[in-house]
């Protein structure tokens, strides 16, 4: 019977009373999300969507951001081009690969965000000698990767190219080629063959089957220790120079690639747990690169559309959310001394002290000194390091340029070439420039803190997220899937264990790129946010979580 209708039986029957269904008042749960990066926006979005399925509970989500605009897009810029159009440049550039970024891709697919397959090309270059404010750098490209998962092979750097001189005799041309280019070209060919051999070896060493064997990496092994341990020591390798080739491959390819990706210095990368690097290598094998077709502003718009605008608090007087220790310390100071949650908060603070951050600089500019001088050597991503590769500056060696626009030379400078489809004009975005771009050519400057992975933080993160004991982690990796995770013991700040206490505790939940196992990347932001909401907030409130992204 529909509400409001009446049922009669015969001509003298009275209308039957109708009882409206009375729902109990909805329980309101206030949630404060500190920080509007990808982790904060994802958490706020998933909570807002939970309201659609929960009849007796409503989450009142408040989003606090220190910047004047939502954090994920706060640093992006619109650059006027010569043809009168404007090019939107995401700051920093965000790309991701299939295989490793399953949670991120699931989120973007759910939001109906258009993805663009880019399959970046790379150039690797060295700066020869130091740079002074009045001296231009001498840059030489030694390696070019043409993308498409290796299908397009490698490129020949311009220093090895040779053209037949016009008007010169064949004999003179042959003499010129053999005296100037032949030996370097033969050396490059041999180095290329060694590169392929080293790359195949890296893939083998990154397979789960190898790592589970007796030759696998011991717990807590760093990249530096792994590089030394895996250097071939047999007579044949020494005879053909494969031991030297492997050492150079680790230093000039693995170190530089991951130093650029992690935006960390060489000394930090050498101390990086190698298991995370091998996981990434295995899971992204032959996977495509993607970017968001319409920029991160599209991501921010779709993630924030369900949040009440009145609950978005911009320019909030808060400490940066990526450094949660000061926030929790302030909260702890305001708790009564008898409060049972004090011990739980202290444990979280001690855990978070194990995470380290590094200052990063991202400069958008038009200075061609920060890309290879020969246009034939320029690619989508141009990775540039100081030669010789110094893990730390020696006491008597000055930095390349002491400027607020540059970092020490132990970083890898990554310059992304950005171009609109309708214009031939290039805009460059350099992350951690070791050469200060000309101030007259700078379009924007962004400073940000980036978490780095260390042996200590790799151990501490297990208190925030840990391998699912019901699943075999090696089996997930063998199938090319990230390891299944569950919440760590410290998540919730005692909220998950407060049964029988006088009053429920407010939940303290930690999510972010650093709060999930592996290299701190976009994947950790989404994965940790999903885990905190579905396994933490919802269950602690006695609710069944709805997998929004399924």
């Amino acid at each position: 019977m529909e509400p409001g209708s009446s049922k009669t039986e015969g001509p003298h029957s009275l209308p039957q009373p109708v009882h409206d269904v009375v729902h109990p008042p909805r329980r309101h749960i206030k949630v404060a999300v500190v920080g509007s990066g990808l982790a904060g926006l994802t958490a706020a979005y998933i909570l807002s969507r939970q309201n659609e399925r929960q009849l007796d509970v409503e989450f009142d989500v408040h989003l606090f951001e220190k910047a004047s605009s939502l954090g994920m897009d706060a640093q992006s810029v619109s650059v006027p081009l010569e043809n009168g159009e404007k090019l939107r440049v995401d700051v920093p550039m965000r790309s991701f690969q299939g295989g490793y970024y399953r949670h991120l891709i699931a989120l973007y697919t759910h939001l109906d965000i258009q993805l663009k397959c880019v399959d970046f090309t790379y150039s690797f270059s060295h700066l020869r000698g130091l740079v002074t404010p009045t001296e231009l750098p001498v840059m030489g490209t030694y390696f070019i990767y043409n993308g498409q998962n290796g299908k397009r092979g490698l490129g020949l750097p311009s220093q090895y190219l040779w053209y037949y001189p016009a008007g010169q005799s064949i004999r003179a041309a042959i003499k010129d080629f053999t005296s100037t280019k032949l030996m370097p070209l033969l050396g490059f060919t041999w180095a290329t063959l060694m590169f392929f051999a080293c790359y195949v070896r890296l893939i083998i060493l990154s397979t789960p089957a190898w790592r589970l064997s007796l030759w696998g990496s011991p717990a807590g092994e760093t990249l530096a220790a792994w590089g030394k341990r895996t250097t071939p020591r047999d007579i044949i390798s020494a005879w053909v120079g494969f031991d030297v080739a492997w050492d150079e491959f680790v230093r000039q390819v693995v170190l530089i690639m991951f130093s650029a990706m992690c935006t960390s210095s060489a000394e930090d990368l050498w101390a990086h747990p190698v298991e995370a690097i091998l996981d990434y290598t295995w899971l992204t094998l032959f996977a495509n690169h993607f970017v968001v077709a319409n920029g991160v502003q599209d991501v921010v718009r779709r993630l924030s559309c369900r949040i009440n605008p009145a609950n978005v608090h911009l320019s909030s007087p808060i400490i940066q959310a990526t450094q949660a220790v000061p926030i929790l310390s302030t909260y702890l100071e305001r708790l009564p001394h008898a409060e049972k949650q004090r011990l739980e908060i202290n444990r979280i603070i001690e855990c978070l002290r194990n995470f380290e951050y590094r200052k990063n600089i991202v400069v958008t500019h038009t200075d061609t000194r920060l890309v290879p001088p020969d246009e034939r050597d320029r690619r989508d991503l141009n990775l540039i390091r100081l030669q010789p590769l110094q893990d730390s500056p020696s006491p008597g060696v000055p930095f390349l340029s002491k400027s607020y626009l540059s970092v020490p030379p132990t970083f890898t400078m990554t310059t992304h070439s950005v171009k609109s489809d309708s214009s031939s004009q290039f805009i460059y975005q350099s992350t951690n420039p070791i050469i200060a771009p000309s101030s007259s050519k700078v379009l924007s400057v962004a400073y940000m803190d980036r978490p780095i992975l260390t042996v200590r933080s790799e151990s501490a993160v297990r208190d925030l997220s840990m391998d699912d004991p019901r699943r075999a982690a090696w089996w997930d990796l063998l199938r090319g899937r990230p390891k299944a995770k569950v919440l760590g013991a410290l998540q919730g700040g005692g909220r998950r264990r407060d049964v029988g206490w006088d009053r429920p505790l407010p939940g303290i939940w930690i999510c972010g790129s650093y709060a999930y196992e592996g290299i701190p990347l976009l994947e950790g932001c989404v994965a940790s946010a999903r885990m905190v909401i579905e396994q933490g907030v919802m269950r602690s409130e006695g609710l069944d979580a709805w997998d929004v992204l399924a």
Side-chain angles (χ1 to χ4, degrees):
M1 181 174 62
E2 299 293 332
S5 65
S6 61
K7 182 178 180 181
T8 60
E9 296 179 359
H12 303 291
S13 299
L14 295 175
Q16 299 296 315
V18 176
H19 301 283
D20 292 331
V21 178
V22 178
H23 294 287
R26 301 185 78 181
R27 178 165 58 101
H28 287 263
I29 302 174
K30 283 192 173 183
V31 180
V33 178
V34 182
S36 65
L38 182 58
L41 286 173
T42 301
Y45 174 82
I46 295 176
L47 273 176
S48 300
R49 287 298 306 272
Q50 295 291 342
N51 288 333
E52 299 175 11
R53 292 286 185 94
Q54 306 297 334
L55 298 178
D56 57 343
V57 171
E58 181 175 356
F59 290 99
D60 187 15
V61 182
H62 288 254
L63 189 61
F64 295 86
E65 170 55 46
K66 183 179 181 180
S68 57
S69 59
L70 292 179
M72 193 179 179
D73 193 43
Q75 306 283 2
S76 300
V77 294
S78 295
V79 178
L81 301 177
E82 295 171 351
N83 61 2
E85 297 181 357
K86 284 190 175 182
L87 175 64
R88 183 71 174 180
V89 180
D90 291 342
V91 179
M93 185 272 288
R94 297 173 176 92
S95 68
F96 47 94
Q97 280 184 277
Y100 190 86
Y101 291 84
R102 290 182 178 271
H103 290 277
L104 180 70
I105 293 175
L107 173 66
Y108 286 171
T109 301
H110 164 78
L111 294 173
D112 199 24
I113 291 174
Q114 183 180 354
L115 305 182
K116 181 180 179 181
C117 182
V118 288
D119 287 333
F120 290 119
T121 58
Y122 296 81
S123 74
F124 293 73
S125 304
H126 282 154
L127 285 175
R128 300 188 180 100
L130 295 177
V131 181
T132 65
T134 59
E135 179 187 1
L136 292 177
V138 178
M139 189 182 302
T141 300
Y142 63 90
F143 185 74
I144 293 176
Y145 171 71
N146 286 329
Q148 288 193 353
N149 297 317
K151 296 177 183 177
R152 296 181 59 185
L154 305 179
L156 188 64
S158 61
Q159 62 175 312
Y160 302 112
L161 296 176
W162 181 84
Y163 297 97
Y164 183 84
Q168 194 175 51
S169 66
I170 295 178
R171 177 176 294 182
I174 293 175
K175 182 179 180 180
D176 176 66
F177 174 76
T178 54
S179 62
T180 61
K181 295 294 183 180
L182 180 59
M183 293 308 295
L185 192 57
L186 289 175
F188 175 78
T189 303
W190 178 252
T192 301
L193 294 174
M194 285 294 183
F195 164 80
F196 278 115
C198 290
Y199 181 63
V200 171
R201 189 167 189 260
L202 173 64
I203 293 174
I204 294 173
L205 295 179
S206 68
T207 58
W210 182 274
R211 286 189 276 158
L212 287 170
S213 69
L214 296 176
W215 300 280
S217 302
E221 186 174 36
T222 64
L223 177 63
W226 176 84
K228 293 179 181 179
R229 183 176 62 83
T230 56
T231 299
R233 313 233 177 241
D234 57 279
I235 297 176
I236 296 177
S237 295
W239 183 69
V240 299
F242 191 61
D243 53 346
V244 177
W246 176 256
D247 182 70
E248 287 297 299
F249 176 78
V250 173
R251 287 180 173 273
Q252 301 207 41
V253 178
V254 177
L255 175 70
I256 291 179
M257 278 290 296
F258 282 92
S259 174
M261 187 178 69
C262 300
T263 61
S264 59
S265 64
E267 55 265 49
D268 286 332
L269 214 284
W270 283 127
H272 195 289
V274 74
E275 275 297 305
I277 293 175
L278 296 177
D279 277 349
Y280 187 91
T281 301
W282 172 249
L283 292 173
T284 59
L285 185 62
F286 305 128
N288 293 318
H289 271 97
F290 297 93
V291 295
V292 175
N294 298 315
V296 295
Q297 58 184 350
D298 185 35
V299 178
V300 171
R301 180 179 61 83
R302 293 173 186 264
L303 283 175
S304 61
C305 66
R306 294 180 179 273
I307 305 173
N308 184 350
N311 291 355
V312 178
H313 310 279
L314 302 176
S315 302
S316 298
I318 60 173
I319 299 172
Q320 190 169 356
T322 52
Q323 297 179 339
V325 170
I327 299 176
L328 292 176
S329 298
T330 302
Y331 174 74
L332 186 63
E333 291 173 358
R334 298 179 180 179
L335 281 178
H337 288 288
E339 180 62 62
K340 295 182 179 180
Q341 197 178 27
R342 292 184 64 86
L343 178 60
E344 301 289 341
I345 301 301
N346 268 317
R347 288 174 176 170
I348 295 178
I349 291 175
E350 290 305 311
C351 172
L352 295 180
R353 291 190 192 280
N354 292 293
F355 295 89
E356 299 181 29
Y357 295 81
R358 295 292 182 267
K359 293 288 185 182
N360 282 188
I361 305 175
V362 181
V363 184
T364 307
H365 60 91
T366 57
D367 193 342
T368 56
R369 296 183 309 152
L370 277 66
V371 291
D374 195 313
E375 292 185 1
R376 296 169 296 183
D377 294 331
R378 297 175 188 173
R379 293 297 187 269
D380 298 328
L381 296 174
N382 303 279
L383 312 183
I384 301 164
R385 282 281 305 222
L386 177 66
Q387 186 189 35
L389 293 179
Q390 296 176 342
D391 296 343
S392 59
S394 58
V397 178
F399 288 164
L400 293 183
S401 54
K402 294 181 179 180
S403 167
Y404 69 98
L405 295 176
S406 63
V407 297
T410 57
F411 282 80
T412 296
M413 176 171 68
T414 306
T415 299
H416 179 209
S417 300
V418 186
K419 185 173 73 72
S420 169
D421 294 336
S422 59
S423 173
S424 59
Q425 180 184 357
F426 277 99
I427 304 297
Y428 302 109
Q429 184 181 105
S430 294
T431 302
N432 292 329
I434 55 178
I435 308 168
S438 173
S439 57
S440 62
K441 298 183 178 181
V442 171
L443 302 173
S444 74
V445 182
Y447 300 91
M448 53 195 68
D449 290 334
R450 176 75 184 269
I452 63 170
L453 188 63
T454 64
V455 174
R456 286 177 57 198
S457 64
E458 184 186 45
S459 176
V461 78
R462 298 188 183 102
D463 287 328
L464 303 178
S465 66
M466 54 186 288
D467 291 343
D468 189 341
R470 300 166 297 178
R471 299 272 295 272
W474 64 270
W475 177 243
D476 287 328
L477 284 176
L478 194 61
R479 293 186 300 161
R481 301 175 63 89
K483 304 171 187 175
K485 297 291 179 183
V486 294
L487 283 178
L490 296 184
Q491 288 282 17
R495 180 69 177 88
R496 294 187 292 161
R497 299 188 298 275
D498 66 353
V499 179
W501 290 17
D502 296 337
R503 59 186 177 84
L505 294 174
I508 305 294
W509 311 95
I510 308 295
C511 61
S513 63
Y514 63 93
Y516 199 77
E517 185 184 59
I519 302 172
L521 297 169
L522 296 175
E523 174 70 2
C525 296
V526 178
S528 62
R530 288 186 69 177
M531 190 170 57
V532 158
I533 301 303
E534 295 168 5
Q535 299 181 22
V537 175
M538 300 298 292
R539 291 182 185 176
S540 67
E541 297 295 338
L543 304 171
D544 293 328
W546 167 37
D547 188 354
V548 173
L549 308 187

